[in-house]
Amino acid sequence: MTVHTLGKNITFVRPTYFIISGFIGIPNIKYYYVFLFFVYIVSVVGNTAVMAVICLDYNLRTPKYIAVFNLAFADLCSSSALVPKVLDIFLFNHRYIPYNDCLTFLFFCYTCLSMQALNLVVLSYDRLIAIIFPLHYQVKVTHRFMLSLIAFFWVLTIIAVLITVGLITRLSFCKSVVINSYFCDHGQIYRLACNNYTPNLVMAILLPLLILWLPLVFIICTYLCIGYALSKVATIQERVKALKTCTAHLSLVVIYFILLLITFILMEKMHPNARIINLSLTSVFPPMLNPIIYVLQTQEIKESVKKLFKFRVLSRITVKQSL
């Protein structure tokens, strides 16, 4: 334990390290971490491929695909911030994490994971304007606007998470230093404090509201507006055509928020092991599935992949013929 004194009457007791408990009493649980490793590999390959395709194909350098690129980038960062460290903790039995390292781990995990929901907000806004105001789309959704919106969300998230982490440094840990989770979980950490943690409790309520529930409400309202606009469209074919442009985004929204809703609604009733499984799958599955969904359900990316693959094959043939 280290004691930090601020002023005359304020003293904080900080532990040298935290201990990550992980699963309790489950035999052969290492196989689950191996499964997370393979999910991570698929996520890295998929998101890197999506970013590469967008960079290589000039036709995909549109405001919409700036948002898709940012989604893939945030997914890659969130997986890389979380999974390798989790594997190091449990597969190599490094459960003792220094205090500062734990807060850094928390910051990067929360920042990158928080951006997933905000990226879905950006993409839902893009679909809203494209369907309701198709003639004004190129004026309203420009490269500058999209980059500014994404930058704003990154700054907002970083500031919110920095405040959350900063408030932890105002806590004293006099008793247990065991975190009942699979990573440096904010909710589990501040509950270990032996002094007043009301500010941390407030942030634990405000942060999900800001980066989860407000985005969900915005996305629902967006699709209600889209649905109302499409109900005014004369032909069924035009409605179906417009809805097809939303299928990839809707799939991402359903996958991301269904898992989160299950976690938050059943959190108090769940066994700690079940909660850890649910939280870990919620964290790693969307980054793995997002690139797969976009490749399978987005016509532009499918055509771009075919074109790049065809160009690659032709270039190899040309090289062989020249030799």
Side-chain angles (χ1 to χ4, degrees), residues 72-124:
F73 175 72
D75 285 344
L76 181 63
C77 289
S78 64
S79 296
S80 299
L82 179 67
V83 178
K85 186 63 178 177
V86 168
L87 297 179
D88 178 60
I89 291 168
F90 296 107
L91 286 182
F92 301 100
N93 203 28
H94 296 154
R95 296 182 183 232
Y96 290 74
I97 301 185
Y99 178 85
N100 289 331
D101 290 0
C102 194
L103 296 191
T104 304
F105 185 25
L106 187 157
F107 170 77
F108 283 105
C109 286
Y110 271 64
T111 299
C112 297
L113 291 170
S114 299
M115 275 303 298
Q116 291 179 358
L118 295 175
N119 280 324
L120 294 176
V121 167
V122 175
L123 288 167
S124 68

Side-chain angles (χ1 to χ4, degrees), residues 12 31 106 118 123 131 157 201 223 258 261 270 273 286 295:
F12 300 114
Y31 292 114
L106 187 157
L118 295 175
L123 288 167
I131 292 172
T157 302
L201 179 60
Y223 277 101
I258 287 293
L261 285 170
M270 279 185 177
N273 289 341
V295 169

Side-chain angles (χ1 to χ4, degrees), residues 32 35-36 38-48 50 68 70-80 82-83 112-120 123 182 212 248-263 276-295:
Y32 179 71
F35 164 73
L36 290 184
F38 283 110
V39 171
Y40 171 65
I41 294 298
V42 173
S43 175
V44 170
V45 172
N47 286 296
T48 303
V50 168
V68 174
N70 188 59
L71 176 67
F73 175 72
D75 285 344
L76 181 63
C77 289
S78 64
S79 296
S80 299
L82 179 67
V83 178
C112 297
L113 291 170
S114 299
M115 275 303 298
Q116 291 179 358
L118 295 175
N119 280 324
L120 294 176
L123 288 167
Y182 70 105
L212 293 177
H249 179 255
L250 273 172
S251 300
L252 304 186
V253 170
V254 169
I255 290 168
Y256 183 75
F257 283 104
I258 287 293
L259 289 170
L260 274 177
L261 285 170
I262 292 170
T263 302
I276 290 173
I277 288 175
N278 199 280
L279 278 173
S280 59
L281 293 181
T282 301
S283 302
V284 301
F285 259 40
M288 180 191 73
L289 294 174
N290 290 351
I292 296 171
I293 288 168
Y294 257 98
V295 169

Side-chain angles (χ1 to χ4, degrees), residues 121 123-129 132 215-228 249:
V121 167
L123 288 167
S124 68
Y125 177 79
D126 175 84
R127 291 300 83 207
L128 177 71
I129 302 301
I132 296 183
L216 178 59
V217 170
F218 178 85
I219 292 168
I220 290 171
C221 291
T222 296
Y223 277 101
L224 288 174
C225 293
I226 289 172
Y228 179 76
H249 179 255

